[in-house]
Structures are given as C-alpha cells and as structure tokens.
Amino acid sequence: MLFFTGNIHRLRHVRILSCKQAKISLQPAQDLQIDGEPIGEVKHIDAEIVPAAIDIIFNDQEEHLLFNPSKKH
C-alpha cells in the first residue's frame, strides 16, 4: 500500500530519478503495461516528459483521498 500513501520511495527496489528524457534497456525483455493496459514484451523503453500534455482531475475532499497531488511529501 506504500504506492498510494506517497511512500513508494521507501521500498528497497524503487529508485527515483529526475529527468526530461529516459532510455531504458531491459535484459531479458519484460512485459510492459501503460496505465494498466498490456503492451507486450519489450527490451527498450524511450520516455519523454511533455510539459502540460495532460490534465489531472481529482476530488480534493479529505475523506476521498488516498493520494493528494497538492500535498508535499
């Protein structure tokens, strides 16, 4: 449940890096999911941050929050 409490960084197998672009090579190939949708096995992932590419809508009522994007952790 650490993922939903803002504490995922405390897991020993999680490392958080900041970047604008990333190229990830996997050996052996791994199954990839994007937003819960299976993509299939991949050996390479290219990712790029596109500023203002998405809008996020959330309910900011305290009783509904598992994750609060406005709260600094």
Side-chain angles (χ1 to χ4, degrees):
M1 193 66 175
L2 289 175
F3 182 78
F4 294 108
T5 63
N7 293 311
I8 193 169
H9 63 282
R10 293 186 180 172
L11 295 172
R12 66 181 169 91
H13 60 276
V14 171
R15 187 170 71 175
I16 297 176
L17 305 170
S18 290
C19 61
K20 292 183 181 180
Q21 293 182 332
K23 292 181 183 251
I24 302 167
S25 296
L26 304 164
Q27 189 64 309
Q30 300 288 313
D31 287 322
L32 176 66
Q33 289 186 21
I34 297 179
D35 197 23
E37 297 294 324
I39 302 301
E41 267 193 7
V42 298
K43 286 189 175 184
H44 302 283
I45 301 170
D46 292 327
E48 179 180 358
I49 301 300
V50 180
I54 63 170
D55 293 320
I56 298 173
I57 301 170
F58 67 97
N59 183 341
D60 65 354
Q61 300 301 308
E62 189 66 33
E63 65 273 8
H64 295 287
L65 292 181
L66 289 175
F67 170 72
N68 184 342
S70 358
K71 183 180 175 184
K72 298 291 182 194
H73 296 284

